Amino acid sequence: MKLRAVGIALLLSAGASGAIPVESKLSLSSGYRKGTWDTNRALATLTVRPEIGPIETTAQIWGWYNWSYRGYGTREYDVSLRASKAQYWGEHWGVSVGLQEIHWGETFGFQPIDIINTRNFRDFPFLDHGINRIPAPLAQFFYSFGAFKTEVVLNPRSEYPILPTTVRGIPVIANTPDPWLHQPEGGIKFTGYLDQANASVFVYHHINRMPILRPDFAAGGLRAAFEPVTSVGASFSSANQEWVWRGDFLMTPNHPLPSGNRKAAFAVVVGADWSPEFAEGLTLGVQAQGDGLPVDTNSENVGASFLVRKSFVNNKLQAEAQLYQSFRFMDYWMRVQLQAGLGDGWDLSVLGESSVADSRSPLSIFPQGPRVAGTLNYSF
Amino acid sequence: MLFNILALLLSPAWAALTPTEILTKADKIRNPDASFVMKVKVTSQGDSQDHVFDVSTKGNEKTIIKTIAPTRDLGRDMLMVEQNMWAFIPNLKRAVRVSLSQKLTGEAANGDISRMRWAQDYDAKIEKEDAKAWTLFLTANKQGLTYEKVRARVEKKTFRPLDAEYLTKADKVLKNAKFESYKPIAGETRPTVIAIQDAVQTDKSTRIEIESITVKDLPDSLFSVERFSSR
């Protein structure tokens, strides 16, 4: 706590002194879901990147205030560090130490192998993993030899995810006293780079990232279970003229279940996106998805996800639509977003999203039904 | 014999150059040989907003394009290593692979400022020549380049590139480019403006203005995907 306060004080004084370039952003967002206000939030983000000799450092702080949250009328605020890290890069190796986020996925949408940081499942903006990832104190080491790279990630203390307040109307009990939380995590990834392609394999020991909710009748709610698991995975991407091919695979052989048993859970996403030369600013993507969910019933699922992205007027207006449709469950999720640059650092984005989820699906822990939201940003 | 010796002595330096040698000399006019950092302003027709980039280049194979303006695009940077290109997406805090042909802004493709040497990327032949210039026809000798074919005119006296047509594999002209405003910069008189015009929709044009070039030793590690993604 003291360290955090010192970090925030240093960051604010560095920015105020003008000694270090500061990236600042103010956002005002408002959401509406099923006849009630969703989240109304004012957010300020400040980032500085001072270099101390050969060491690159990054510090980011955010502060937000919710004047209403999901129809409860709850007023909340938070001021916290989002990043506080130091990096050094040698000729064949590099190290990055401190509070940070690490991302391993190649595909768009759910990004199943993005497992190093825990998530904020309460506010869950589906795709904005930069917001819903929770930064963790991580040490990351790189070593490269020819076209191959090795990456080791160590986390001395796993972070607690932020859980939804209710699931299907049942309260979720916060602050689960789980003996496994805050245990060390870590893993290793190998990557090979070929001509216009790269492929990786990895193994990572961690606490299960998808919360497993078990009934706690005495407490009158659902209690999340977090237990140690070991995941293995792979990813690739490859470009060929206007096409980019991508894939992610994750397998957790010993994932906990609501019943207290364990079984294998997996997710695989393979697809491509196409940015044709003749249609300026257009990208179309399609992905096949399959997963075996961590629930007690047989629940292998297959589906497809689609992406359409188009920029207009020299990127001043950007439109993006993403859709996921399951072929076996009733799972469905879509999101349409428009972002307009208003000039002088201002931009406005409007999004509409909707989801419907099978009770067996992890998607069901998030609020369902249509939601619209608008955000006004000012960067300076 | 005497006539032959006199002819050799009086003939211009470019008389016996191969197309690749001409291209190499033209590349040296466009950019310094060594690694350098370049500040570039890109202005597109109908766009009141200038886009400014810091471009760090090492050889022809390694480039980082860092967005300086507009402010709302800060962090939307790009890394090119050989024929691979990644874009950093700030709201996802991750780098994703993109193709070299994707647009940077307006008519400027990523490759227009990240890959500014022709000699290593294209096989060249002299299509025609007149007293003033050679017209070289370039065909890509590797996959993944922004343009499959280029028709470029190079001035004989100075080896300055004058203009170019960027073509598809089927020889359809996509864009026309003019190399203008030659000024002394980084130890050489170089073009400081590249004016690019869409060949079909001629009202669509983009002006790439090189504001400064600083020759600077850049470490290889600057161009690693891991470093680029980790910010």
Short mmCIF file of all heavy atoms in Angstrom, two decimals, chain A residues 139-163:
data_model
loop_
_atom_site.label_atom_id
_atom_site.label_comp_id
_atom_site.label_asym_id
_atom_site.label_seq_id
_atom_site.Cartn_x
_atom_site.Cartn_y
_atom_site.Cartn_z
N ALA A 139 7.60 -10.74 -13.31
CA ALA A 139 8.96 -10.68 -13.85
C ALA A 139 8.95 -11.45 -15.16
O ALA A 139 8.51 -12.60 -15.21
CB ALA A 139 9.95 -11.29 -12.88
N GLN A 140 9.41 -10.81 -16.22
CA GLN A 140 9.37 -11.41 -17.56
C GLN A 140 10.79 -11.38 -18.13
O GLN A 140 11.42 -10.31 -18.15
CB GLN A 140 8.42 -10.58 -18.42
CG GLN A 140 8.13 -11.11 -19.79
CD GLN A 140 7.21 -10.15 -20.56
OE1 GLN A 140 7.19 -8.94 -20.30
NE2 GLN A 140 6.45 -10.67 -21.49
N PHE A 141 11.29 -12.53 -18.55
CA PHE A 141 12.64 -12.63 -19.11
C PHE A 141 12.56 -13.13 -20.55
O PHE A 141 11.80 -14.06 -20.82
CB PHE A 141 13.50 -13.61 -18.30
CG PHE A 141 13.58 -13.29 -16.84
CD1 PHE A 141 12.69 -13.87 -15.95
CD2 PHE A 141 14.53 -12.40 -16.36
CE1 PHE A 141 12.74 -13.57 -14.59
CE2 PHE A 141 14.59 -12.10 -15.00
CZ PHE A 141 13.70 -12.69 -14.12
N PHE A 142 13.35 -12.54 -21.43
CA PHE A 142 13.41 -12.99 -22.82
C PHE A 142 14.84 -13.39 -23.15
O PHE A 142 15.78 -12.74 -22.72
CB PHE A 142 13.05 -11.86 -23.79
CG PHE A 142 11.69 -11.29 -23.60
CD1 PHE A 142 11.51 -10.09 -22.91
CD2 PHE A 142 10.58 -11.93 -24.12
CE1 PHE A 142 10.26 -9.55 -22.75
CE2 PHE A 142 9.31 -11.40 -23.95
CZ PHE A 142 9.15 -10.21 -23.27
N TYR A 143 14.96 -14.43 -23.94
CA TYR A 143 16.28 -14.75 -24.50
C TYR A 143 16.07 -15.22 -25.93
O TYR A 143 15.21 -16.07 -26.20
CB TYR A 143 16.98 -15.84 -23.68
CG TYR A 143 18.36 -16.12 -24.21
CD1 TYR A 143 19.40 -15.23 -23.99
CD2 TYR A 143 18.62 -17.25 -24.99
CE1 TYR A 143 20.66 -15.45 -24.51
CE2 TYR A 143 19.88 -17.48 -25.51
CZ TYR A 143 20.90 -16.58 -25.27
OH TYR A 143 22.15 -16.79 -25.79
N SER A 144 16.81 -14.64 -26.88
CA SER A 144 16.63 -15.05 -28.27
C SER A 144 17.89 -15.69 -28.80
O SER A 144 19.01 -15.29 -28.45
CB SER A 144 16.24 -13.84 -29.14
OG SER A 144 17.25 -12.87 -29.09
N PHE A 145 17.72 -16.73 -29.61
CA PHE A 145 18.84 -17.39 -30.28
C PHE A 145 18.40 -17.67 -31.70
O PHE A 145 17.53 -18.49 -31.95
CB PHE A 145 19.29 -18.65 -29.54
CG PHE A 145 18.16 -19.52 -29.04
CD1 PHE A 145 17.80 -20.66 -29.71
CD2 PHE A 145 17.46 -19.17 -27.88
CE1 PHE A 145 16.75 -21.45 -29.26
CE2 PHE A 145 16.40 -19.94 -27.43
CZ PHE A 145 16.05 -21.10 -28.12
N GLY A 146 18.97 -16.91 -32.65
CA GLY A 146 18.57 -17.03 -34.05
C GLY A 146 17.11 -16.67 -34.21
O GLY A 146 16.66 -15.63 -33.74
N ALA A 147 16.37 -17.56 -34.85
CA ALA A 147 14.95 -17.29 -35.12
C ALA A 147 14.06 -17.78 -33.99
O ALA A 147 12.84 -17.81 -34.14
CB ALA A 147 14.55 -17.97 -36.42
N PHE A 148 14.65 -18.16 -32.86
CA PHE A 148 13.86 -18.69 -31.74
C PHE A 148 13.97 -17.77 -30.53
O PHE A 148 15.01 -17.17 -30.28
CB PHE A 148 14.33 -20.10 -31.37
CG PHE A 148 14.12 -21.08 -32.48
CD1 PHE A 148 15.12 -21.36 -33.37
CD2 PHE A 148 12.88 -21.70 -32.65
CE1 PHE A 148 14.93 -22.24 -34.42
CE2 PHE A 148 12.67 -22.59 -33.68
CZ PHE A 148 13.70 -22.86 -34.58
N LYS A 149 12.86 -17.68 -29.79
CA LYS A 149 12.86 -16.87 -28.58
C LYS A 149 12.24 -17.65 -27.43
O LYS A 149 11.28 -18.39 -27.63
CB LYS A 149 12.09 -15.57 -28.81
CG LYS A 149 12.85 -14.67 -29.75
CD LYS A 149 12.27 -13.31 -29.91
CE LYS A 149 13.14 -12.54 -30.90
NZ LYS A 149 12.57 -11.32 -31.38
N THR A 150 12.81 -17.46 -26.25
CA THR A 150 12.26 -18.06 -25.04
C THR A 150 11.79 -16.94 -24.13
O THR A 150 12.46 -15.92 -24.00
CB THR A 150 13.35 -18.86 -24.30
OG1 THR A 150 13.93 -19.77 -25.21
CG2 THR A 150 12.77 -19.61 -23.12
N GLU A 151 10.65 -17.16 -23.51
CA GLU A 151 10.11 -16.15 -22.60
C GLU A 151 9.71 -16.86 -21.30
O GLU A 151 8.99 -17.86 -21.34
CB GLU A 151 8.90 -15.50 -23.25
CG GLU A 151 8.21 -14.45 -22.41
CD GLU A 151 6.99 -13.85 -23.14
OE1 GLU A 151 6.92 -13.96 -24.39
OE2 GLU A 151 6.13 -13.29 -22.46
N VAL A 152 10.20 -16.37 -20.18
CA VAL A 152 9.84 -16.93 -18.87
C VAL A 152 9.08 -15.84 -18.11
O VAL A 152 9.50 -14.70 -18.07
CB VAL A 152 11.10 -17.35 -18.08
CG1 VAL A 152 10.73 -17.79 -16.66
CG2 VAL A 152 11.83 -18.47 -18.81
N VAL A 153 7.94 -16.23 -17.53
CA VAL A 153 7.14 -15.27 -16.75
C VAL A 153 6.96 -15.84 -15.35
O VAL A 153 6.59 -17.00 -15.18
CB VAL A 153 5.76 -15.04 -17.40
CG1 VAL A 153 4.89 -14.13 -16.52
CG2 VAL A 153 5.92 -14.43 -18.78
N LEU A 154 7.24 -15.01 -14.35
CA LEU A 154 7.06 -15.41 -12.95
C LEU A 154 6.18 -14.39 -12.25
O LEU A 154 6.35 -13.18 -12.42
CB LEU A 154 8.42 -15.50 -12.24
CG LEU A 154 9.40 -16.52 -12.79
CD1 LEU A 154 10.76 -16.35 -12.14
CD2 LEU A 154 8.88 -17.94 -12.60
N ASN A 155 5.24 -14.91 -11.48
CA ASN A 155 4.36 -14.04 -10.70
C ASN A 155 4.42 -14.52 -9.25
O ASN A 155 3.91 -15.59 -8.93
CB ASN A 155 2.93 -14.15 -11.24
CG ASN A 155 1.95 -13.27 -10.48
OD1 ASN A 155 2.32 -12.64 -9.48
ND2 ASN A 155 0.71 -13.24 -10.93
N PRO A 156 5.07 -13.77 -8.36
CA PRO A 156 5.24 -14.27 -6.99
C PRO A 156 3.94 -14.32 -6.20
O PRO A 156 3.85 -15.01 -5.19
CB PRO A 156 6.20 -13.26 -6.36
CG PRO A 156 6.07 -12.03 -7.19
CD PRO A 156 5.70 -12.48 -8.57
N ARG A 157 2.91 -13.61 -6.70
CA ARG A 157 1.68 -13.53 -5.90
C ARG A 157 0.50 -13.32 -6.84
O ARG A 157 0.33 -12.24 -7.40
CB ARG A 157 1.80 -12.35 -4.93
CG ARG A 157 0.66 -12.20 -3.95
CD ARG A 157 0.95 -10.99 -3.05
NE ARG A 157 -0.01 -10.89 -1.97
CZ ARG A 157 -1.19 -10.28 -2.08
NH1 ARG A 157 -1.56 -9.76 -3.22
NH2 ARG A 157 -2.00 -10.22 -1.03
N SER A 158 -0.31 -14.37 -7.01
CA SER A 158 -1.43 -14.25 -7.94
C SER A 158 -2.46 -13.26 -7.39
O SER A 158 -2.65 -13.16 -6.19
CB SER A 158 -2.08 -15.61 -8.16
OG SER A 158 -2.57 -16.11 -6.95
N GLU A 159 -3.08 -12.54 -8.29
CA GLU A 159 -4.05 -11.52 -7.90
C GLU A 159 -5.46 -12.11 -7.87
O GLU A 159 -5.78 -13.07 -8.57
CB GLU A 159 -4.02 -10.37 -8.90
CG GLU A 159 -2.76 -9.56 -8.85
CD GLU A 159 -2.59 -8.81 -7.55
OE1 GLU A 159 -3.49 -8.05 -7.18
OE2 GLU A 159 -1.54 -9.00 -6.90
N TYR A 160 -6.33 -11.51 -7.08
CA TYR A 160 -7.71 -11.93 -6.98
C TYR A 160 -8.49 -11.28 -8.13
O TYR A 160 -8.37 -10.08 -8.36
CB TYR A 160 -8.28 -11.44 -5.65
CG TYR A 160 -9.53 -12.14 -5.22
CD1 TYR A 160 -9.47 -13.26 -4.39
CD2 TYR A 160 -10.77 -11.69 -5.63
CE1 TYR A 160 -10.62 -13.91 -3.99
CE2 TYR A 160 -11.92 -12.33 -5.24
CZ TYR A 160 -11.85 -13.43 -4.42
OH TYR A 160 -13.00 -14.06 -4.04
N PRO A 161 -9.28 -12.04 -8.90
CA PRO A 161 -10.09 -11.40 -9.94
C PRO A 161 -11.23 -10.60 -9.31
O PRO A 161 -11.57 -10.81 -8.15
CB PRO A 161 -10.63 -12.58 -10.74
CG PRO A 161 -10.63 -13.71 -9.79
CD PRO A 161 -9.51 -13.48 -8.82
N ILE A 162 -11.80 -9.70 -10.09
CA ILE A 162 -12.98 -8.97 -9.62
C ILE A 162 -14.20 -9.71 -10.16
O ILE A 162 -14.34 -9.91 -11.37
CB ILE A 162 -12.94 -7.51 -10.11
CG1 ILE A 162 -11.73 -6.81 -9.49
CG2 ILE A 162 -14.23 -6.79 -9.74
CD1 ILE A 162 -11.47 -5.43 -10.05
N LEU A 163 -15.07 -10.14 -9.27
CA LEU A 163 -16.19 -11.00 -9.65
C LEU A 163 -17.46 -10.19 -9.87
O LEU A 163 -17.61 -9.09 -9.34
CB LEU A 163 -16.44 -12.03 -8.55
CG LEU A 163 -15.27 -12.99 -8.32
CD1 LEU A 163 -15.51 -13.81 -7.06
CD2 LEU A 163 -15.10 -13.90 -9.51
#
